[in-house]
């Protein structure tokens, strides 16, 4: 009997060892750059297929006020530590200005009043977090395309980068989109949410809405736009905070 | 293969090796088995990021969830059942989306091939008589008594097999694919009917989970039946195509 128990214990031990070996093996495969490269290449089929299928102009679904989430979950940074930001927050962003820089003919700074004076778009859309949850909210602001037209993109510009006021895990948050999404009808710089000025938790004073992509692309606390020809050389080089830090896809449409 | 042998060759007897599964069936079976294992394990890691399920278009922590997995646990699914083993929904998404392509391409190729070579019509489609309640009940009793067909009858799928394989091929796999597509904000913009027919993105996510659970249930029953029916013979026939006909009781 004791032999049986011993052997059973040994069997369990061997099984657990085998399992942990298998798990470690799987993680080694997961960490292998060749395997990752191949997986990412195959997975990129989705981006190519989506771009071909949905085109430049297809609109994300817009909802009615009755469809809105009773409470919109705030995620990621919900407070900004930067003293300059806190001072502006205290005075209602009266002295805040959006910096427009990079590959543009007219680099400029735009105060909130200038953004509010541009034609406004209001949309009730679904925000899909990469974690899996969704919330429906109402957003208002000028189209990003209107701001880009004011500044005048130079022909080499390929990407619009959004520089944010918040640090997440000690690193500056940023995001980027290509010109297809930058000039999309629903891509706006929202300063209002659910019929009130943006709160700090949701990205005051200005937040990007790029409605055909996931939540991590919707940069909060936007301080500046930068037009670039390439994403290389900027922070981690992958075009966004979560892309650099965790390896999330740059294309957030999936 | 259920082809009737030509008249001049004697019908195979119990105990003889016969050709059973086509190459396309065997190839798809193992490709799909491996792919579904990766999809399940990477899917559980993605679910770890937000193990709450909702009905409707929206759903987040403040909203009512119909299912919350894991309770007090940090993440509901431990490392030995997820890809990767350490917490990383980002890596899991890389695996999930790459193998989603394999899943769809392999399934489409197999369905087209099986339509053209008659596998669906001859072997998988239930005949009307088989769907008679008396016949169904008879088959259920036989299964419950672990009485499996012998001789030539073992070459044909019985009605419970046809229903099980049919629900995987024509219900669960298409559902898991379509609900997966409906979770993509990009595809939702281009194909707005996706979330309409599924009742919203969070409903699609819930149905994605339920379809995956259905595939796991199929897998468990499938494994049990393979073990009961003779695992060596069954696995050999799915690897090589050669199947040893079970002997008749009086042989």
């Amino acid at each position: 009997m004791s032999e049986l128990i011993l052997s059973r214990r040994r069997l369990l031990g061997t099984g657990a060892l085998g399992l942990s070996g298998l798990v470690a093996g799987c993680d080694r495969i997961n960490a292998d750059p060749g395997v990752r490269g191949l997986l990412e290449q195959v997975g990129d089929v989705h981006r190519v297929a989506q771009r071909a299928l949905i085109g430049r102009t297809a609109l994300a679904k817009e909802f009615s006020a009755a469809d809105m989430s009773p409470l919109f979950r705030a995620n990621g940074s919900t407070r900004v530590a930067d003293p300059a930001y806190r001072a502006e927050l205290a005075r209602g962003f009266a002295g805040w200005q959006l910096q427009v820089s990079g590959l543009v003919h007219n680099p400029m700074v735009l105060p909130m009043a200038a953004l509010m004076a541009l034609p406004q778009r209001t949309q009730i859309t679904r925000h899909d977090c990469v974690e899996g949850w969704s919330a429906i909210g109402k957003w208002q602001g000028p189209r990003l395309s209107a701001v880009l037209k004011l500044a005048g993109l130079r022909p080499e510009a390929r990407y619009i980068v959004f520089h944010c006021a918040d640090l997440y895990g000690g690193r500056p948050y940023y995001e980027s989109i290509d010109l297809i999404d930058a000039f999309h009808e629903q891509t706006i710089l929202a300063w209002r949410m659910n019929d009130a000025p943006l709160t700090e938790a949701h990205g005051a004073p200005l937040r990007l809405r790029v409605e055909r992509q996931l939540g991590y692309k919707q940069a909060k606390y936007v301080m500046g736009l930068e037009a670039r020809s390439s994403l290389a050389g900027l922070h981690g080089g992958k075009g966004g905070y979560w892309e650099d830090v965790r390896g999330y896809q740059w294309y957030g449409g999936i | 293969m259920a082809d009737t042998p030509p008249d001049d060759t004697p019908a195979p007897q119990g105990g003889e090796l016969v050709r059973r599964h086509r190459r396309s069936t065997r190839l798809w079976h193992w490709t799909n088995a491996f792919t579904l294992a990766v999809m399940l394990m990477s899917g559980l890691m993605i679910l770890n990021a937000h193990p709450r399920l909702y009905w409707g278009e929206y759903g987040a922590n403040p909203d009512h969830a119909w299912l919350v997995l894991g309770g007090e646990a940090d993440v509901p699914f431990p490392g030995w059942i997820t890809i990767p083993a350490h917490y990383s929904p980002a890596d899991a998404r890389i695996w999930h989306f790459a193998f989603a392509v394999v899943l769809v391409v392999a399934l489409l190729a197999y369905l087209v091939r099986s339509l053209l070579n008659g596998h669906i019509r001859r072997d998988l489609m239930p005949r009307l008589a088989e769907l008679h309640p008396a016949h169904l009940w008879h088959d259920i009793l036989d299964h419950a008594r672990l009485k499996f067909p012998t001789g030539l009858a073992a070459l044909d799928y019985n009605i419970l097999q046809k229903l099980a394989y049919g629900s995987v091929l024509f219900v669960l796999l298409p559902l898991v694919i379509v609900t997966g597509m409906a979770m993509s904000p990009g595809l939702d913009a281009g194909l707005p009917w996706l979330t309409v027919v599924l009742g919203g993105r969070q409903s699609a996510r819930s149905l994605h989970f339920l379809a995956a659970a259905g595939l796991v249930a199929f897998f468990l029953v499938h494994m049990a039946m393979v073990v009961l029916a003779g695992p060596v013979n069954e696995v050999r026939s799915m690897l090589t195509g050669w199947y040893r006909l079970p002997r008749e009781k009086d042989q």
Side-chain angles (χ1 to χ4, degrees):
Chain A
M1 192 62 198
S2 65
E3 260 172 47
L4 185 70
I5 291 172
L6 194 71
S7 69
R8 189 185 294 166
R9 190 174 296 160
R10 192 178 296 158
L11 193 72
L12 280 175
T14 316
L17 209 71
L19 195 65
S20 65
L22 205 66
V23 168
C26 280
D27 261 18
R28 257 201 303 283
I29 295 172
N30 179 60
D32 184 276
V35 173
R36 284 183 85 84
L38 180 66
L39 290 172
E40 284 178 319
Q41 228 165 5
V42 177
D44 201 42
V45 165
H46 296 277
R47 181 187 61 84
V48 174
Q50 286 197 8
R51 278 280 152 88
L53 191 72
I54 74 179
R56 292 167 170 267
T57 52
L59 296 180
K61 187 173 175 184
E62 292 190 23
F63 298 86
S64 73
D67 304 318
M68 284 165 59
S69 296
L71 196 65
F72 198 110
R73 174 178 163 175
N75 204 42
S77 296
T78 49
R79 191 175 185 280
V80 180
D82 176 44
Y85 175 90
R86 298 224 68 77
E88 274 304 327
L89 177 71
R91 50 198 285 237
F93 298 101
W96 172 89
Q97 289 178 317
L98 177 71
Q99 294 245 2
V100 184
S101 63
L103 297 171
V104 291
H105 294 297
N106 322 304
M108 53 176 64
V109 287
L110 293 166
M112 188 55 85
L115 293 172
M116 288 160 69
L118 286 168
Q120 303 286 299
R121 191 177 206 283
T122 303
Q123 55 205 30
I124 300 176
T125 52
R126 199 188 62 218
H127 175 100
D128 298 327
C129 179
V130 70
E131 292 174 355
W133 53 270
S134 307
I136 297 179
K138 185 176 182 180
W139 307 95
Q140 184 198 315
R143 288 180 185 82
L144 175 61
S145 60
V147 175
L148 296 177
K149 277 170 199 157
L150 279 181
L153 279 187
R154 302 223 315 241
E156 320 84 275
R158 290 287 172 276
Y159 301 94
I160 307 299
V161 174
F162 303 85
H163 296 287
C164 306
D166 59 319
L167 297 179
Y168 201 71
R171 295 170 65 132
Y173 201 93
Y174 79 106
E175 258 305 338
S176 63
I177 57 176
D178 63 11
L179 297 187
I180 292 177
D181 276 313
F183 283 89
H184 186 255
E185 166 78 11
Q186 289 168 317
T187 302
I188 63 173
L189 295 169
W191 58 276
R192 276 173 82 79
M193 172 193 179
N194 294 355
D195 296 316
L198 268 181
T199 59
E200 183 181 6
H202 286 293
L206 201 64
R207 170 177 210 172
L208 172 68
R209 292 303 309 172
V210 48
E211 301 292 359
R212 301 185 299 179
Q213 299 206 37
L214 292 168
Y216 61 89
K217 303 296 288 188
Q218 326 291 331
K220 307 202 273 193
Y221 319 109
V222 175
M223 299 290 119
L225 313 179
E226 183 190 357
R228 291 178 68 100
S229 61
S230 152
L231 299 170
L234 179 67
H235 299 295
K238 291 183 183 158
Y241 174 89
W242 288 109
E243 292 87 329
D244 287 342
V245 174
R246 291 275 185 273
Y248 281 99
Q249 290 88 357
W250 173 81
Y251 177 69
I254 311 162
Chain B
M1 246 181 282
D3 301 50
T4 320
D7 288 339
D8 52 344
T9 56
Q13 302 293 307
E16 281 179 37
L17 276 176
V18 292
R19 298 291 293 172
R20 174 115 201 244
H21 298 298
R22 291 176 180 81
R23 197 175 52 182
S24 57
T25 299
R26 288 179 276 138
L27 201 62
W28 178 74
H29 174 273
W30 295 111
T31 307
N32 192 56
F34 182 75
T35 303
L36 283 184
V38 172
M39 293 306 276
L40 177 71
M41 294 172 77
S42 54
L44 292 178
M45 171 53 73
I46 297 171
L47 188 54
N48 266 341
H50 189 74
R52 297 164 55 89
L53 294 169
Y54 314 88
W55 294 117
E57 193 75 68
Y58 66 80
N61 302 57
D63 305 308
H64 172 73
W66 69 267
L67 184 64
V68 179
L69 293 157
E72 296 303 302
D74 206 16
V75 291
F77 301 106
W80 62 267
I81 203 174
T82 62
I83 293 177
H86 65 276
Y87 182 80
S88 176
D91 288 5
R93 282 167 57 86
I94 293 173
W95 285 89
H96 209 69
F97 300 152
F99 277 88
V101 175
V102 181
L103 179 76
V104 170
V105 170
L107 180 65
L108 283 178
Y110 179 59
L111 286 181
V112 168
R113 179 77 189 225
S114 298
L115 205 62
L116 295 180
N117 68 17
H119 183 43
I120 290 176
R121 182 175 42 80
R122 254 197 319 261
D123 307 328
L124 289 168
M125 201 139 72
R127 276 170 283 129
L128 209 55
E130 290 178 320
L131 292 170
H132 193 276
H135 181 89
L136 276 170
W137 182 239
H138 177 81
D139 245 39
I140 291 169
L141 283 184
D142 275 358
H143 272 77
R145 294 187 192 116
L146 305 182
K147 203 175 121 207
F148 297 121
T150 54
L152 270 183
L155 277 185
D156 292 330
Y157 294 145
N158 59 62
I159 183 62
L160 295 186
Q161 277 180 298
K162 287 182 181 180
L163 291 176
Y165 301 156
S167 46
V168 167
L169 274 173
F170 303 112
V171 181
L172 292 176
L173 288 177
L175 184 65
V176 92
I177 291 166
V178 170
T179 51
M181 290 166 65
M183 281 187 276
S184 145
L187 281 182
D188 282 355
L191 310 170
W193 54 267
L194 271 175
T195 49
V196 174
V197 297
L198 295 167
R201 180 180 190 249
Q202 290 300 321
S203 291
R205 185 167 173 263
S206 290
L207 292 170
H208 193 68
F209 172 82
L210 291 173
L215 289 168
V216 171
F218 168 82
F219 170 74
L220 294 176
V221 173
H222 184 51
M223 286 302 99
M225 298 316 287
V226 165
V227 167
L228 289 170
V232 175
N233 196 24
E234 294 292 330
V235 172
R236 177 188 46 214
S237 74
M238 197 44 93
L239 280 172
T240 67
W242 289 100
Y243 179 73
R244 192 175 298 282
L245 280 185
R247 285 174 194 282
E248 320 273 354
K249 276 278 177 328
D250 51 2
Q251 266 184 309

mmCIF file of all heavy atoms in Angstrom, chain A residues 28-41:
data_model
loop_
_atom_site.group_PDB
_atom_site.id
_atom_site.type_symbol
_atom_site.label_atom_id
_atom_site.label_comp_id
_atom_site.label_asym_id
_atom_site.label_seq_id
_atom_site.Cartn_x
_atom_site.Cartn_y
_atom_site.Cartn_z
ATOM 1 N N ARG A 28 8.970 29.466 -23.789
ATOM 2 C CA ARG A 28 10.179 29.684 -24.586
ATOM 3 C C ARG A 28 9.804 29.905 -26.046
ATOM 4 O O ARG A 28 10.345 30.776 -26.707
ATOM 5 C CB ARG A 28 11.136 28.492 -24.447
ATOM 6 C CG ARG A 28 12.312 28.788 -23.503
ATOM 7 C CD ARG A 28 13.472 27.871 -23.761
ATOM 8 N NE ARG A 28 13.129 26.460 -23.638
ATOM 9 C CZ ARG A 28 12.980 25.826 -22.463
ATOM 10 N NH1 ARG A 28 13.142 26.481 -21.347
ATOM 11 N NH2 ARG A 28 12.675 24.551 -22.425
ATOM 12 N N ILE A 29 8.839 29.100 -26.517
ATOM 13 C CA ILE A 29 8.378 29.294 -27.900
ATOM 14 C C ILE A 29 7.772 30.686 -28.044
ATOM 15 O O ILE A 29 8.014 31.394 -29.012
ATOM 16 C CB ILE A 29 7.330 28.215 -28.277
ATOM 17 C CG1 ILE A 29 7.986 26.832 -28.275
ATOM 18 C CG2 ILE A 29 6.691 28.518 -29.621
ATOM 19 C CD1 ILE A 29 7.015 25.683 -28.436
ATOM 20 N N ASN A 30 6.986 31.079 -27.023
ATOM 21 C CA ASN A 30 6.333 32.391 -27.052
ATOM 22 C C ASN A 30 7.352 33.523 -27.113
ATOM 23 O O ASN A 30 7.109 34.552 -27.742
ATOM 24 C CB ASN A 30 5.446 32.546 -25.809
ATOM 25 C CG ASN A 30 4.750 33.880 -25.746
ATOM 26 O OD1 ASN A 30 3.979 34.221 -26.639
ATOM 27 N ND2 ASN A 30 5.029 34.653 -24.711
ATOM 28 N N ALA A 31 8.501 33.326 -26.449
ATOM 29 C CA ALA A 31 9.503 34.393 -26.385
ATOM 30 C C ALA A 31 10.423 34.396 -27.612
ATOM 31 O O ALA A 31 11.145 35.360 -27.833
ATOM 32 C CB ALA A 31 10.332 34.241 -25.114
ATOM 33 N N ASP A 32 10.383 33.334 -28.410
ATOM 34 C CA ASP A 32 11.286 33.231 -29.556
ATOM 35 C C ASP A 32 10.951 34.306 -30.602
ATOM 36 O O ASP A 32 9.818 34.387 -31.073
ATOM 37 C CB ASP A 32 11.139 31.838 -30.180
ATOM 38 C CG ASP A 32 12.110 31.628 -31.322
ATOM 39 O OD1 ASP A 32 11.792 32.041 -32.466
ATOM 40 O OD2 ASP A 32 13.174 31.072 -31.065
ATOM 41 N N PRO A 33 11.932 35.137 -30.954
ATOM 42 C CA PRO A 33 11.624 36.236 -31.883
ATOM 43 C C PRO A 33 11.185 35.748 -33.256
ATOM 44 O O PRO A 33 10.354 36.390 -33.903
ATOM 45 C CB PRO A 33 12.939 37.028 -31.966
ATOM 46 C CG PRO A 33 13.983 36.226 -31.263
ATOM 47 C CD PRO A 33 13.323 35.158 -30.463
ATOM 48 N N GLY A 34 11.728 34.615 -33.694
ATOM 49 C CA GLY A 34 11.331 34.086 -35.000
ATOM 50 C C GLY A 34 9.874 33.688 -35.014
ATOM 51 O O GLY A 34 9.127 34.011 -35.952
ATOM 52 N N VAL A 35 9.440 32.990 -33.955
ATOM 53 C CA VAL A 35 8.047 32.559 -33.844
ATOM 54 C C VAL A 35 7.130 33.780 -33.771
ATOM 55 O O VAL A 35 6.119 33.873 -34.472
ATOM 56 C CB VAL A 35 7.849 31.670 -32.591
ATOM 57 C CG1 VAL A 35 6.380 31.366 -32.370
ATOM 58 C CG2 VAL A 35 8.644 30.381 -32.719
ATOM 59 N N ARG A 36 7.527 34.737 -32.943
ATOM 60 C CA ARG A 36 6.711 35.955 -32.801
ATOM 61 C C ARG A 36 6.571 36.679 -34.127
ATOM 62 O O ARG A 36 5.484 37.125 -34.481
ATOM 63 C CB ARG A 36 7.354 36.905 -31.800
ATOM 64 C CG ARG A 36 7.184 36.514 -30.370
ATOM 65 C CD ARG A 36 7.791 37.574 -29.492
ATOM 66 N NE ARG A 36 6.848 38.639 -29.250
ATOM 67 C CZ ARG A 36 5.926 38.568 -28.298
ATOM 68 N NH1 ARG A 36 5.814 37.491 -27.552
ATOM 69 N NH2 ARG A 36 5.101 39.560 -28.096
ATOM 70 N N GLY A 37 7.697 36.788 -34.828
ATOM 71 C CA GLY A 37 7.676 37.478 -36.115
ATOM 72 C C GLY A 37 6.702 36.819 -37.072
ATOM 73 O O GLY A 37 5.907 37.488 -37.732
ATOM 74 N N LEU A 38 6.761 35.482 -37.106
ATOM 75 C CA LEU A 38 5.877 34.736 -38.005
ATOM 76 C C LEU A 38 4.416 34.928 -37.600
ATOM 77 O O LEU A 38 3.552 35.210 -38.440
ATOM 78 C CB LEU A 38 6.262 33.255 -37.972
ATOM 79 C CG LEU A 38 5.422 32.344 -38.871
ATOM 80 C CD1 LEU A 38 5.654 32.696 -40.342
ATOM 81 C CD2 LEU A 38 5.761 30.877 -38.632
ATOM 82 N N LEU A 39 4.146 34.808 -36.287
ATOM 83 C CA LEU A 39 2.769 34.964 -35.809
ATOM 84 C C LEU A 39 2.244 36.357 -36.137
ATOM 85 O O LEU A 39 1.107 36.529 -36.572
ATOM 86 C CB LEU A 39 2.697 34.732 -34.297
ATOM 87 C CG LEU A 39 2.914 33.301 -33.797
ATOM 88 C CD1 LEU A 39 2.993 33.282 -32.282
ATOM 89 C CD2 LEU A 39 1.786 32.394 -34.275
ATOM 90 N N GLU A 40 3.104 37.364 -35.922
ATOM 91 C CA GLU A 40 2.663 38.740 -36.171
ATOM 92 C C GLU A 40 2.419 38.981 -37.656
ATOM 93 O O GLU A 40 1.506 39.710 -38.037
ATOM 94 C CB GLU A 40 3.683 39.739 -35.603
ATOM 95 C CG GLU A 40 3.563 39.827 -34.091
ATOM 96 C CD GLU A 40 4.573 40.760 -33.442
ATOM 97 O OE1 GLU A 40 5.750 40.757 -33.859
ATOM 98 O OE2 GLU A 40 4.193 41.460 -32.505
ATOM 99 N N GLN A 41 3.242 38.312 -38.467
ATOM 100 C CA GLN A 41 3.073 38.457 -39.911
ATOM 101 C C GLN A 41 1.744 37.848 -40.372
ATOM 102 O O GLN A 41 1.011 38.448 -41.146
ATOM 103 C CB GLN A 41 4.218 37.760 -40.629
ATOM 104 C CG GLN A 41 4.843 38.613 -41.694
ATOM 105 C CD GLN A 41 6.190 38.068 -42.132
ATOM 106 O OE1 GLN A 41 6.622 37.000 -41.701
ATOM 107 N NE2 GLN A 41 6.855 38.795 -42.987
#
